[in-house]
Amino acid sequence: MKKVLLLLIIFCFFGCKKFVVSFEQPTNEKLDNLKLEVLLDKKEVQEINLKATNGLPSYETAELSVSDEGKHQLQVKVRDTIFTYDIKYPEERYIMVTAHLKENGKIHIGILKQAYKYRFH
């Protein structure tokens, strides 16, 4: 039984394909406690509550599992708006999501995608 459990852990560690998504915590106080619903391939996978910071932005990181390589759809739902992005695994494995408040009061979600890890200072 221990061998089966060990093999399962090793398989999940090396066999699971994941997107690493970092959510930037905003510096704008008006975005404090903003709820983001994250959907991958139209299935809800995570909810993030943004916490405004006074200084430099901080980041909350989540790993989203995918079953195969190729094109996937990442959606971020904010209030009554859904932002949809096409991402390719493994070319765009590391993703950074940022919320901005426009001058007209609407929220915009920006995204950066790349194949290697982001370095936060």
Side-chain angles (χ1 to χ4, degrees), residues 55-91:
L56 295 173
S58 60
Y59 297 87
E60 182 176 335
T61 302
E63 293 183 353
L64 308 179
S65 297
V66 294
S67 59
D68 58 349
E69 294 184 5
K71 193 174 182 181
H72 296 275
Q73 189 176 64
L74 178 70
Q75 295 178 308
V76 180
K77 183 177 178 183
V78 181
R79 295 183 184 155
D80 60 348
T81 307
I82 297 176
F83 297 89
T84 303
Y85 304 97
D86 291 327
I87 48 179
K88 298 175 189 168
Y89 185 88
E91 295 91 5

